[in-house]
Amino acid sequence: MKMLHIASDYQANNRLLSPLMLAELEKLGQLTIVTRGRSMTDDERAAHIRQHDVLITGWGSSQTPSCIAQDRGQLKYICNFTGEMRGYVLPCHIEAGIPVTNWGDAPAHGIAEGAVALMFTVLQNFRPIGKLVEAGLWGGRTVLPMTLLRRLRVGIYGLGVIGRRFVELIEPFEPVLTGYDPYVSQDLWPASVRRVDSLDALFDNIDALVVHAGLSPETRHSVTAELLAKLPSDGVVINTARGGLIDQDALMAELRAGRLRAGLDVLDSPGFGDMLSMNDPARFYPNVVLSCHDAGLSSWPKRDELEFFHEIALDNLRRFRDGHPLRFFMDIDRYGRST
Amino acid sequence: MKMLHIASDYQANNRLLSPLMLAELEKLGQLTIVTRGRSMTDDERAAHIRQHDVLITGWGSSQTPSCIAQDRGQLKYICNFTGEMRGYVLPCHIEAGIPVTNWGDAPAHGIAEGAVALMFTVLQNFRPIGKLVEAGLWGGRTVLPMTLLRRLRVGIYGLGVIGRRFVELIEPFEPVLTGYDPYVSQDLWPASVRRVDSLDALFDNIDALVVHAGLSPETRHSVTAELLAKLPSDGVVINTARGGLIDQDALMAELRAGRLRAGLDVLDSPGFGDMLSMNDPARFYPNVVLSCHDAGLSSWPKRDELEFFHEIALDNLRRFRDGHPLRFFMDIDRYGRST
């Protein structure tokens, strides 16, 4: 099995192709890593790809040229190690019938746990309490909206693998859950979540909104100013999905006014992506926890083991080698709804 | 049924005897509230108590005089609405056979949820990330020990009702749990927690310590400098129980050095109790979240309903009226192990 990875920059991403993972890939076949893909032409990259059985994509890899859809040469499978596809694989490759997979549910636990962590930090006001402590005071119980998840009315926007894992994690806390996701079949729908059939209905009787939807042209800015206005004073917004799902100007106006509380792992700031500009006053809002796309990451304690997404990629590469069905197969509908 | 409450100050604690609770008590009998108990003699307070069937104690109430143990008059039951007893009821009252109850497991969920919230905030480094954000940077993934609860080795010191509730709440996150509590019978021990028979053994292979023990002469300062030193670098200490359980000087030395991370809802500071002095540098340690005995409180959203501890007290008062067995009966062993 001849495998290829084309890194956009001078070297491959060292988490995507970690030493442990490289050792596993060596057992499966021959891996070629081509670097500086960004300075090559489409035809040059296509020439490399056509000489290999498998193309490995993910963080730091070059976009696969569209001409591969017409002439794939020896290529039989694109294994995208990570989740996001748009920068690495095009719809035309999927429509041309090249098998493409991604990491499927590998990150679901980490992102769901990160959302839980953000939510608790906001509900218990640890940031504003910390500011009171630094100011020489002690505690904020008389001035802050201290909130237990128990009995809280939580609205969940998006119940894919991440949203459903989130539900499993918070069920023991006994919140009152409502959910909206038009794409999840009833047999996958969690029994503890009341289902509503519009985003507007989701906002009818909730204290907190948690966003686990995918970003697509359909969902962009779907959490509008009008919907945010339906949340009660001191209501909570948690977003570990994508910043573009929310009308960020409207959300920031609510946060600047102190009317809502938020835990935001992702943002939608023009020119900055998931960041705020260096002088943005929102960096100092006590009612906002900004976790900088770090929520749910794991770097400690160091463990001498593959990451979950590596295990899924290896499983798929073995399945490909053995002619078995691939997991987390990407069709054009799933591609369209994915971030 | 004649009920009495003696408030130490000019008025009764308005959470202990909330308007909703006062309305419920009126249905049960006649409640007399005596104020400024602290300016009365023991004999004056005893004279009031001897004319009533039930004495209600809890936050803000006066100590019950010891002479009530010898001559209780009409008194048949002391209903302590809250948890802590030592300031309101003496061992001699229990030894004299006066029935005494407290709130039992009422606060277990809130304290356990508060401990979960503190733990996640520390594991995900939201305070130091916030400080980086305020300094104009973005994110801390390359410099901070980002930790998921999944697969984390957590040691739980104390598995009473709060510790066991904590275990129920975190089980879905799939941590690796070890526990120490010599007082919990095997039939109550959670199946997911490996049991060890000494505090020293608890510290053998853990990444995080969570304290849910009661404070007693036996447990005071039981988490020693030597035990804390067994935690790995970047290890975590969570304490929502009592500050006095930990050798605070040793813990503060570890935190000042940045070797450990901590979430502390309670402290053991001479002269300050659960507080730090106004100028204590620990107020600024980024590796510490100080929640000021506020963790797990609930004040938002406002709900027009009794608190859990009121429901337990009402249930016990009805049981007393009807001659049924009381719940959370306090014997001298339980009193001795309680905070």
Side-chain angles (χ1 to χ4, degrees), chain A residues 29-337:
Chain A
Q30 182 196 333
L31 171 64
T32 303
I33 299 176
V34 172
T35 60
R36 297 201 67 197
R38 63 176 177 188
S39 59
M40 296 162 62
T41 64
D42 274 9
D43 284 344
E44 286 171 327
R45 276 180 278 133
H48 282 289
I49 292 168
R50 292 189 183 114
Q51 295 168 36
H52 291 83
D53 304 301
V54 178
L55 178 65
I56 290 171
T57 57
W59 299 316
S61 69
S62 281
Q63 181 63 271
T64 307
S66 59
C67 60
I68 289 293
Q70 285 87 53
D71 173 11
R72 68 184 79 164
Q74 191 180 326
L75 181 71
K76 298 171 193 74
Y77 170 36
I78 300 177
C79 185
N80 192 75
F81 279 16
T82 55
E84 192 165 339
M85 310 279 311
R86 291 168 200 264
Y88 316 127
V89 183
L90 298 168
C92 64
H93 301 125
I94 291 166
E95 285 166 334
I98 302 172
V100 178
T101 61
N102 75 347
W103 68 12
D105 61 9
H109 179 92
I111 298 172
E113 187 180 321
V116 170
L118 260 182
M119 182 180 61
F120 278 123
T121 302
V122 174
L123 293 180
Q124 289 288 314
N125 304 300
F126 290 139
R127 187 175 191 196
I129 289 173
K131 287 181 180 277
L132 292 169
V133 167
E134 292 182 1
L137 303 171
W138 200 253
R141 62 174 69 195
T142 58
V143 290
L144 294 168
M146 302 299 296
T147 305
L148 284 181
L149 181 52
R150 191 181 210 181
R151 296 189 183 178
L152 196 71
R153 300 173 308 170
V154 177
I156 304 174
Y157 174 22
L159 281 126
V161 288
I162 298 169
R164 296 198 298 273
R165 181 68 182 143
F166 179 81
V167 169
E168 288 173 357
L169 295 178
I170 66 169
E171 275 173 348
F173 295 87
E174 301 169 20
V176 179
L177 300 176
T178 307
Y180 169 68
D181 191 327
Y183 298 110
V184 172
S185 62
Q186 197 55 42
D187 58 306
L188 290 174
W189 195 267
S192 62
V193 182
R194 186 174 66 93
R195 186 168 197 166
V196 294
D197 61 5
S198 74
L199 197 50
D200 187 66
L202 183 69
F203 280 77
D204 276 347
N205 290 291
I206 59 173
D207 306 306
L209 171 75
V210 181
V211 181
H212 289 303
L215 180 62
S216 67
E218 178 198 343
T219 60
R220 178 172 292 277
H221 293 184
S222 53
V223 179
T224 61
E226 290 69 32
L227 292 175
L228 292 170
K230 290 177 81 172
L231 290 173
S233 284
D234 296 318
V236 169
V237 174
I238 304 296
N239 188 3
T240 55
R242 281 292 182 267
L245 291 156
I246 300 178
D247 177 341
Q248 184 157 302
D249 290 343
L251 178 60
M252 284 297 172
E254 295 272 27
L255 297 174
R256 188 167 53 246
R259 201 190 75 83
L260 297 179
R261 296 180 278 171
L264 304 175
D265 194 47
V266 288
L267 292 164
D268 181 34
S269 304
F272 295 101
D274 274 319
M275 294 179 62
L276 292 178
S277 75
M278 199 162 165
N279 300 312
D280 197 302
R283 289 174 177 259
F284 295 89
Y285 295 168
N287 51 327
V288 183
V289 177
L290 298 163
S291 55
C292 310
H293 222 134
D294 283 349
L297 281 190
S298 171
S299 65
W300 186 93
K302 288 256 180 288
R303 296 188 186 97
D304 198 22
E305 62 192 18
L306 289 170
E307 297 199 61
F308 287 113
F309 75 86
H310 285 143
E311 287 170 8
I312 285 171
L314 281 174
D315 180 46
N316 262 336
L317 289 167
R318 289 190 198 106
R319 285 165 178 264
F320 168 75
R321 179 194 64 192
D322 301 339
H324 295 151
L326 301 172
R327 295 173 68 205
F328 307 115
F329 191 87
M330 186 65 62
D331 62 26
I332 199 69
D333 279 355
R334 197 177 150 229
Y335 186 99
R337 289 198 307 273

Side-chain angles (χ1 to χ4, degrees), chain A residues 141-142 146 148 150, chain B residues 5 7 11-25 31 33 56-61 80-83 103 106-111 265 292-300 302-303 305-311 313-314:
Chain A
R141 62 174 69 195
T142 58
M146 302 299 296
L148 284 181
R150 191 181 210 181
Chain B
H5 176 70
Q11 59 176 27
N13 181 294
N14 62 9
R15 186 173 166 208
L16 190 84
L17 292 173
S18 67
L20 272 176
M21 187 59 175
L22 287 171
E24 292 297 322
L25 291 171
L31 171 65
I33 298 176
I56 290 170
T57 58
W59 301 315
S61 70
N80 193 74
F81 279 16
T82 57
W103 67 11
H109 178 90
I111 298 172
D265 194 48
C292 309
H293 222 134
D294 283 349
L297 281 189
S298 171
S299 65
W300 185 92
K302 287 258 180 287
R303 296 186 186 97
E305 62 191 19
L306 289 170
E307 295 198 62
F308 287 114
F309 75 87
H310 285 143
E311 287 170 8
L314 281 175

Side-chain angles (χ1 to χ4, degrees), chain B residues 319-331:
Chain B
R319 285 165 178 265
F320 168 74
R321 179 194 64 192
D322 301 338
H324 295 151
L326 301 172
R327 294 173 70 205
F328 308 115
F329 191 87
M330 185 63 65
D331 63 27

